[in-house]
Amino acid sequence: MKTRSIILSALAAVVFVACGQTPEEKAAAFDAAVETMENEYYAMRDSLASDMEAWNAYSSTFMDEYTAFNLAEAKKNLDNAIAVKALMNLRGLISDEESADILNNLSEQMLQDEKVQKLKKGLDARLATAEGKMFVDFTVNSVVGHTRSIPPQPVYGEVKLSDYVGKGKYVLLDFWSPWCGPCRREMPNIKTVYEQYKDKGLDVVSIAVWEREPVEVTIETAEKLGMVWNQINNGQREPAELYGVEGIPHLILFGPDGTILKRGFHGLDGIQAAVSEYIK
């Protein structure tokens, strides 16, 4: 298969320079190998655009090979920058436990690397908020209303996740932001599930994070998207950091007592499957 030839040529490039003299050459060879694989991936995506069956088969095989390649290189280079580069490539492709196994075995020098520390911080947060763990509370200074002045001015108040979670109902927490296209596209799916289960014990809370514009934009966007459920705006960075969220949208389902039941699912089928497992 073409994917296999791509991976083998990439591996050959790394092995060749691994016998060289400098870490810089090894890192450069790794970068070149990854670039070769990724360029071929995008080229195949374009060439197979009209044949979804062939594309799905190619993509599945490629991702398996790409993951295996980066995983092997990470484990072989625990004392240099290749391990970090490989881990960055592996985000979302391997489990947090597999990532932890690599990070925990890095050399002392590599553990001081800024990128490694950032990866470890996110990983530790996700492990602390993994399925089966109790929810971690956070407080946001959110807009809770407006004055009656002309023009109206926002009124801020402290809003906690614990205002909603752990109160005896299932809660679907949605990390989103108004600038995020995938978040916007997920809203109809969330709305469908909310309508299906709101009378069966499900609450939905959308927490806006990483906002780039004034909070009024978040509020207006939520209204335009028909987000009629609970809102926490002005979240910025802390809520995402506490839960190790690296990309949005990101969904978490909490049980009535606040236990984290599911996280990381998406799409209508994914949301319905997660919720229907607990609410009949």
Side-chain angles (χ1 to χ4, degrees), residues 134-244:
M134 187 60 64
F135 82 100
V136 176
D137 204 7
F138 57 74
T139 301
V140 173
N141 191 33
S142 184
V143 173
V144 295
H146 290 82
T147 65
R148 295 186 178 183
S149 62
I150 301 177
Q153 298 299 312
V155 176
Y156 288 84
E158 287 191 348
V159 180
K160 298 181 179 180
L161 181 62
S162 56
D163 293 337
Y164 306 101
V165 173
K167 301 294 186 181
K169 299 187 75 173
Y170 291 91
V171 176
L172 181 65
L173 181 65
D174 161 45
F175 288 85
W176 80 293
S177 199
W179 52 262
C180 170
C183 299
R184 290 169 174 262
R185 292 192 290 272
E186 193 75 283
M187 290 308 168
N189 301 326
I190 295 174
K191 188 172 184 178
T192 295
V193 174
Y194 175 65
E195 292 296 332
Q196 287 178 326
Y197 291 98
K198 67 179 182 179
D199 295 328
K200 298 181 180 180
L202 178 70
D203 273 346
V204 175
V205 178
S206 284
I207 168 71
V209 295
W210 304 331
E211 294 150 289
R212 299 173 179 174
E213 297 181 272
V215 69
E216 293 296 339
V217 174
T218 300
I219 296 171
E220 292 169 4
T221 302
E223 291 176 352
K224 290 178 182 178
L225 293 175
M227 298 164 62
V228 296
W229 47 85
N230 302 307
Q231 303 289 318
I232 304 176
N233 53 60
N234 199 38
Q236 298 303 335
R237 296 174 56 182
E238 183 182 359
E241 289 179 350
L242 282 174
Y243 281 84

Side-chain angles (χ1 to χ4, degrees), residues 249-267:
H250 187 89
L251 298 170
I252 300 176
L253 179 66
F254 298 93
D257 64 347
T259 300
I260 297 169
L261 302 177
K262 295 280 186 179
R263 63 175 297 173
F265 47 91
H266 58 86

Side-chain angles (χ1 to χ4, degrees), residues 3-234:
T3 304
R4 174 65 66 176
S5 66
I6 295 169
I7 300 299
L8 289 177
S9 65
L11 282 168
V14 174
V15 171
F16 175 77
V17 180
C19 298
Q21 298 182 353
T22 69
E24 290 76 14
E25 287 177 323
K26 290 173 63 177
F30 175 81
D31 290 341
V34 170
E35 184 177 8
T36 296
M37 287 186 279
E38 292 179 349
N39 286 343
E40 284 285 351
Y41 177 82
Y42 294 125
M44 290 295 288
R45 182 186 62 182
D46 293 338
S47 67
L48 295 176
S50 61
D51 188 344
M52 289 306 299
E53 184 176 354
W55 165 248
N56 288 335
Y58 171 85
S59 179
S60 177
T61 300
F62 176 89
M63 295 313 297
D64 287 344
E65 298 283 1
Y66 183 79
T67 299
F69 170 72
N70 280 281
L71 195 55
E73 289 305 307
K75 291 179 178 179
K76 287 192 302 185
N77 293 277
L78 297 171
D79 62 346
N80 63 72
I82 292 178
V84 182
K85 292 172 180 285
L87 277 171
M88 297 292 285
N89 294 339
L90 288 166
R91 285 185 298 180
L93 298 178
I94 62 176
S95 69
D96 286 334
E97 289 74 19
E98 288 177 295
S99 294
D101 183 58
I102 296 171
L103 283 169
N104 292 335
N105 284 286
L106 290 177
S107 67
E108 287 300 321
Q109 180 180 355
M110 291 309 302
L111 287 174
Q112 303 308 311
D113 184 272
E114 184 177 345
K115 290 181 180 178
V116 171
Q117 292 181 353
K118 184 176 181 180
L119 284 170
K120 194 171 188 310
K121 181 179 179 181
L123 175 63
D124 289 344
R126 286 192 300 278
L127 291 175
T129 56
E131 295 175 6
K133 302 283 189 178
M134 187 60 64
F135 82 100
V136 176
D137 204 7
F138 57 74
T139 301
V140 173
N141 191 33
S142 184
V143 173
V144 295
H146 290 82
T147 65
R148 295 186 178 183
S149 62
I150 301 177
Q153 298 299 312
V155 176
Y156 288 84
E158 287 191 348
V159 180
K160 298 181 179 180
L161 181 62
S162 56
D163 293 337
Y164 306 101
V165 173
K167 301 294 186 181
K169 299 187 75 173
Y170 291 91
V171 176
L172 181 65
L173 181 65
D174 161 45
F175 288 85
W176 80 293
S177 199
W179 52 262
C180 170
C183 299
R184 290 169 174 262
R185 292 192 290 272
E186 193 75 283
M187 290 308 168
N189 301 326
I190 295 174
K191 188 172 184 178
T192 295
V193 174
Y194 175 65
E195 292 296 332
Q196 287 178 326
Y197 291 98
K198 67 179 182 179
D199 295 328
K200 298 181 180 180
L202 178 70
D203 273 346
V204 175
V205 178
S206 284
I207 168 71
V209 295
W210 304 331
E211 294 150 289
R212 299 173 179 174
E213 297 181 272
V215 69
E216 293 296 339
V217 174
T218 300
I219 296 171
E220 292 169 4
T221 302
E223 291 176 352
K224 290 178 182 178
L225 293 175
M227 298 164 62
V228 296
W229 47 85
N230 302 307
Q231 303 289 318
I232 304 176
N233 53 60
N234 199 38

